[in-house]
Amino acid sequence: MSAVPGAGTVLSVVIPMFNEESALPALVARLRPVLDGIGAGYGGAGYEVVAVDDGSSDRTAALLEDFRIGWPELRVVRLRRNSGHQAALTAGLHRAVGDYVVSIDADLQDPPEKIPEMLELARSGDLDIVYGVRTDRSADTGFKRRTAGVYYWLMRRLVGDRMPSQAGDFRLLSRQAVDALKELPDQQQVYRLLVPWLGFPSGQVSYEREERVAGETKYPLSRMIRLGVDSVTGFSAAPLRVATWLGVLSFFVCLLLIVFTLGAFAAGHVVPGWSSLFIGILFLGAVQLICLGLLGEYVGRIYTAVQRRPTFFVGYDSADAPRSVRAATVDETRD
Ligand code: UDP
Ligand code: MG
């Protein structure tokens, strides 16, 4: 089995983690036997686990270093600061060297035991992408299930049926697919949309979403909304047209109001007019604010794209540093 990344590494497993100290021991205990088994099955072919520490403030980094002592295939990539799940995934994809790259969450909500099945399917069917599709989400909260339902429905309307419903970030990618993703200039990547959009031959493996093994979700409502907005604005300019349609609609409403007012005037009614005027102003004000907000989302994207700032900074990679320097670097980044 090769511990040196790049030398015959068949499989890279990328795991973004943010403050996952409580989930780590269980993750290692379940993941390692599976991966050792795959290595043995493929005649001692190598694998690497790319643990991307997304600027954790707990003991995740220290624990990873401890695990690395007894597990040479574990590679630790540490981002300088918390950059978000998708950015951590990007860092992992850019650093991974395997012929196939699997991304999986650190909290064991995606079962590592499915990885061999994914690899087998990709190899036998000559597929570039194998999605992990959740068949049962009863372990998630009702709120999470409902918001996810709306999200996938909307995304399938935007990206088309190529996007499998209920496929999150547990998936396998071939080297070709990873290289294609790496070439994309996108800044705020949302991989569950980008990957189907690439159009590579793909397959699916279904699994039951388990409960988080320990710790709490790192996706509060604000981050879910951010992911939703990035997903929509990254893939469609249709919301911009909402402004036009709202404009047309309010124009016709105004025409109706004019007719009504003229009618009332002709009939000799004295229209007090305050409420209709006030409602009209409120309505138009709201429409304008919505449209401004929409424009802002896209201008924001253009702004980030023009800045061309990287979405993450790697502070430390255990595979880069020679052994003697590694300990010092780790101490330095541990704070
Ligand atoms: N994560 C990350 N950076 C973040 C937030 C989350 O790397 O800023 C990781 C997290 O450690 C986990 C994965 O992304 O491995 C999915 O997050 P989580 O399980 O909290 O999301 P949920 O399953 O609740 O949607
Ligand atoms: Mg989770």
Side-chain angles (χ1 to χ4, degrees):
M1 191 135 321
S2 162
V4 184
T9 307
V10 171
L11 182 70
S12 297
V13 178
V14 172
I15 320 176
M17 40 185 88
F18 176 53
N19 292 344
E20 296 287 7
E21 63 177 2
S22 50
L24 254 182
L27 173 72
V28 172
R30 256 178 80 181
L31 184 65
R32 186 165 185 189
V34 173
L35 297 182
D36 285 344
I38 293 179
Y42 284 104
Y47 70 85
E48 61 166 356
V49 172
V50 184
V52 185
D53 172 16
D54 186 14
S56 301
S57 52
D58 66 354
R59 285 180 27 82
T60 301
L63 276 180
L64 281 172
E65 284 310 313
D66 291 345
F67 280 120
R68 213 163 61 76
I69 295 168
W71 193 10
E73 285 84 6
L74 177 61
R75 178 178 172 192
V76 180
V77 171
R78 188 154 192 232
L79 306 189
R80 287 194 191 281
R81 58 178 174 79
N82 180 238
S83 310
H85 181 204
Q86 301 295 308
L89 263 178
T90 312
L93 291 179
H94 276 252
R95 296 264 155 167
V97 293
D99 301 335
Y100 290 95
V101 180
V102 169
S103 49
I104 186 169
D105 284 357
D107 57 2
L108 287 175
Q109 286 202 283
D110 313 320
E113 292 76 17
K114 285 282 169 183
I115 297 177
E117 202 180 313
M118 289 174 143
L119 189 61
E120 194 51 48
L121 185 65
R123 289 191 145 193
S124 59
D126 205 13
L127 302 174
D128 284 287
I129 298 163
V130 178
Y131 300 101
V133 175
R134 304 149 181 169
T135 48
D136 177 8
R137 291 191 71 139
S138 52
D140 279 326
T141 61
F143 177 70
K144 185 100 188 177
R145 281 205 303 273
R146 270 191 290 278
T147 46
V150 174
Y151 176 81
Y152 284 109
W153 173 81
L154 189 64
M155 293 310 127
R156 277 163 71 89
R157 295 203 63 139
L158 290 182
V159 186
D161 289 346
R162 263 174 318 182
M163 179 186 171
S165 193
Q166 300 296 340
D169 285 306
F170 181 33
R171 72 175 85 75
L172 174 140
L173 299 167
S174 69
R175 173 59 28 204
Q176 256 189 319
V178 172
D179 288 344
L181 280 176
K182 278 162 69 175
E183 276 175 26
L184 294 178
D186 292 49
Q187 296 278 319
Q188 290 114 311
Q189 301 94 336
V190 181
Y191 284 108
R192 58 191 74 180
L193 300 177
L194 279 179
V195 170
W197 175 80
L198 291 174
F200 282 101
S202 65
Q204 298 186 357
V205 161
S206 49
Y207 70 100
E208 284 178 18
R209 183 97 163 141
E210 293 169 30
E211 265 176 55
R212 186 174 241 287
V213 67
E216 285 173 2
T217 174
K218 311 296 179 307
Y219 260 91
L221 184 62
S222 57
R223 281 199 189 219
M224 280 160 61
I225 293 175
R226 191 68 254 161
L227 184 76
V229 171
D230 279 346
S231 304
V232 174
T233 54
F235 265 84
S236 171
L240 284 176
R241 268 168 246 136
V242 171
T244 322
W245 289 112
L246 282 177
V248 172
L249 184 74
S250 41
F251 175 72
F252 281 111
V253 172
C254 286
L255 275 187
L256 279 181
L257 279 177
I258 290 170
V259 173
F260 171 76
T261 319
L262 287 179
F265 181 71
H269 293 304
V270 180
V271 182
W274 186 83
S275 356
S276 55
L277 197 66
F278 197 62
I279 290 170
I281 290 171
L282 275 187
F283 176 71
L284 283 179
V287 167
Q288 282 171 8
L289 282 178
I290 292 173
C291 299
L292 268 181
L294 278 175
L295 275 178
E297 282 297 330
Y298 286 91
V299 172
R301 283 189 83 85
I302 297 169
Y303 177 61
T304 357
V306 169
Q307 280 180 320
R308 295 182 61 83
R309 286 197 193 138
T311 43
F312 61 88
F313 291 101
V314 173
Y316 161 77
D317 184 340
S318 62
D320 287 348
R323 273 210 172 271
S324 52
V325 185
R326 268 180 221 165
T329 327
V330 179
D331 281 345
E332 186 188 305
T333 49
R334 246 183 224 172
D335 298 323

